[in-house]
Amino acid sequence: SNRIAVRVICPAGLCGAELREPVTVGNGCTVVTWSAADVAVRISGPASGNIDSRLKYRIDVSNPGDLASDDVVVTGDVPAGMSFVSSNPPAEKTGNTIRWPVGALGVGQTRTFEVEYRADREGTVEVCVEASAAGVAPARECVVTAIEAAKLEVKIIGPDRAVVGNDVDFELKVT
């Protein structure tokens, strides 16, 4: 809210020929509250994962403004080193970009989306999304996930020697 002061002045010589100074003929003030639509976005997901694992990310888009937001769209690019698997609700996928047209988002309203990627290689990936709306500055947020190669160890326990034709038992320990 802003306080606005108004003062009405009669210029010198117009309110009477004998007055050589401007004359205040009225004043007052008012408070104006500015209303606007807005858009915000949050993304959350795992801090780490393994190569070939499926990783889910949650996206929340909201309108923290005090007017409805129109033509809201959520977009994101499939990060390098990951492959798109699925999303809920289903996204429009064009090339490397995924897109959810939301439409109108009422005051205080939130919509939630989930996207699942497969980690294709080791390294650090940044998963980013952007929400935009008509006449509103876009909002962007990212989350970082560290992708590691799975560490697998196999140990075989059994006899060092065996007689041909006899059954031999081995124990495999996988960790």
Side-chain angles (χ1 to χ4, degrees):
S1 295
N2 293 7
R3 183 175 183 266
I4 299 175
V6 177
R7 189 169 112 181
V8 180
I9 299 173
C10 182
L14 290 180
C15 291
E18 69 282 351
L19 297 174
R20 297 186 188 265
E21 296 291 322
V23 176
T24 300
V25 292
N27 60 35
C29 68
T30 189
V31 175
V32 176
T33 300
W34 304 101
S35 294
D38 200 2
V39 67
V41 68
R42 302 273 306 154
I43 183 169
S44 57
S48 63
N50 293 324
I51 295 175
D52 290 329
S53 65
R54 291 182 171 200
L55 306 169
K56 285 188 179 181
Y57 296 85
R58 177 185 166 128
I59 301 159
D60 295 308
V61 61
S62 63
N63 176 5
D66 56 1
L67 294 176
S69 293
D70 293 321
D71 302 323
V72 177
V73 176
V74 177
T75 58
D77 288 332
V78 177
M82 298 186 101
S83 298
F84 175 79
V85 175
S86 66
S87 70
N88 185 26
E92 298 171 356
K93 186 170 183 300
T94 305
N96 207 33
T97 300
I98 55 175
R99 180 179 187 268
W100 293 274
V102 177
L105 199 56
V107 175
Q109 192 176 15
T110 299
R111 291 279 309 272
T112 299
F113 305 88
E114 288 184 344
V115 62
E116 186 175 22
Y117 295 113
R118 185 185 67 242
D120 295 329
R121 65 177 185 234
E122 194 170 1
T124 301
V125 294
E126 187 175 48
V127 181
C128 298
V129 290
E130 182 175 288
S132 61
V136 174
R140 179 178 167 88
E141 186 167 283
C142 301
V143 64
V144 174
T145 302
I147 306 300
E148 300 173 348
K151 295 172 178 69
L152 184 66
E153 183 179 322
V154 178
K155 186 174 184 181
I156 301 173
I157 301 169
D160 291 339
R161 297 184 185 146
V163 176
V164 174
N166 289 349
D167 290 340
V168 180
D169 291 327
F170 289 94
E171 181 181 345
L172 297 175
K173 287 190 177 182
V174 181
T175 55

